[in-house]
């Protein structure tokens, strides 16, 4: 296959932190695309727990066994970045019906800006349908067990972060 015919998809999000629900989406997307970029976005409207650099490092460790996945930090307009990278699709996850409205609006806005880039919505497993990064941040803050929600690599990094090591 010629290198330029490989299909690249971006999976953007703030991933603060990366959860099992996100990992579900990554595992589904790698079966659909030749290459997947996890695009770690700076969202100025959200108060961050981890720096973007830390998030990228943790996600890289978590997906180290998936050779078609790269992790890239990003700030700016997503479709501009997608065009620069030559991506053909944007992948987003749906956990519940309530995600749909937001995803739908974002997909239409991105389509207006870049009609050639498709948004592909993938379902999270039922098991992780109620997981969100803010729940993980809250459980962590109050000393609860985060291992139900995040892969061991993420849990270790967050425990280290909590203890300030
Ligand atoms: N499993 C678990 N949680 C999930 C999930 C999944 N599969 N999918 C989404 N979530 C959760 C996240 O954990 C996050 O939880 P939180 O709000 O509790 O922290 C929440 O859903 C939102 O997720 P996220 O994917 O991180 O969305 P976001 O709104 O932070 O990021 C961007 C959206 C970054 C992709 C979007 O703002 C963007 O593209 N920004 C760039 C600027 C731009 O181009 N704007 C125009 C877009 S129309």
């Amino acid at each position: 296959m010629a290198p330029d015919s490989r299909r690249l998809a971006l999976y953007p999000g703030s991933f603060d932190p990366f959860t099992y629900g996100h990992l579900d989406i990554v595992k589904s997307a790698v079966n659909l695309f030749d290459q997947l970029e996890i695009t770690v976005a700076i969202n100025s409207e959200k108060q961050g727990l981890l720096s973007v650099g830390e998030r990228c490092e943790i996600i890289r460790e978590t997906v180290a066994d998936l050779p078609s996945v790269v992790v890239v930090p990003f700030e700016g307009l997503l479709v501009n970045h997608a065009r620069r990278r030559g991506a053909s699709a944007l992948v987003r996850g749906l956990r519940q019906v309530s995600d749909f409205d937001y995803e739908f609006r974002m997909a239409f806005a991105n389509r207006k800006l870049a009609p050639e880039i498709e948004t592909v919505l993938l379902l999270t497993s039922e098991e992780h349908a109620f997981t969100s990064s803010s729940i993980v941040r809250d459980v962590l803050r109050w000393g609860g067990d985060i291992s139900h929600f995040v892969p061991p690599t993420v849990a270790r990094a967050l425990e280290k972060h909590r203890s300030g090591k």
Side-chain angles (χ1 to χ4, degrees), residues 11 20-29 32 91-97 99-100 120-129:
Y11 176 30
Y20 274 129
H22 295 129
L23 190 57
D24 273 348
I25 302 301
V26 169
K27 285 183 175 167
S28 300
L32 297 173
V91 168
R92 292 283 293 171
L94 283 180
R95 292 162 297 169
Q96 308 151 42
V97 180
D99 281 344
F100 194 74
V120 177
L121 299 176
L122 298 175
L123 300 184
T124 312
S125 68
E126 287 159 53
E127 201 190 339
H128 302 301

Side-chain angles (χ1 to χ4, degrees), residues 8-138:
L8 168 71
L10 306 191
Y11 176 30
S14 35
F15 307 113
D16 188 29
F18 191 79
T19 69
Y20 274 129
H22 295 129
L23 190 57
D24 273 348
I25 302 301
V26 169
K27 285 183 175 167
S28 300
V30 292
N31 293 325
L32 297 173
F33 297 95
D34 301 310
Q35 289 178 305
L36 182 71
E37 175 191 294
I38 301 176
T39 311
V40 183
I42 297 166
N43 186 340
S44 51
E45 285 171 20
K46 287 189 178 176
Q47 205 194 339
L49 170 71
L50 301 164
S51 72
V52 170
E54 287 171 317
R55 284 179 240 166
C56 288
E57 213 174 292
I58 296 167
I59 300 170
R60 279 190 197 111
E61 198 188 339
T62 308
V63 299
D65 59 336
L66 300 172
S68 63
V69 180
V70 293
V71 183
V72 172
F74 150 81
E75 185 170 21
L77 192 65
L78 185 63
V79 290
N80 287 349
H81 174 69
R83 277 186 171 139
R84 276 195 299 271
R85 297 281 287 129
S88 56
L90 302 173
V91 168
R92 292 283 293 171
L94 283 180
R95 292 162 297 169
Q96 308 151 42
V97 180
S98 53
D99 281 344
F100 194 74
D101 182 53
Y102 175 60
E103 294 303 332
F104 208 62
R105 280 186 281 130
M106 195 152 78
F108 272 111
N110 283 330
R111 182 189 270 177
K112 268 268 181 269
L113 296 167
E116 76 283 12
I117 301 173
E118 287 293 343
T119 293
V120 177
L121 299 176
L122 298 175
L123 300 184
T124 312
S125 68
E126 287 159 53
E127 201 190 339
H128 302 301
F130 294 95
T131 301
S132 73
S133 298
S134 49
I135 285 180
V136 177
R137 292 196 295 272
D138 211 33

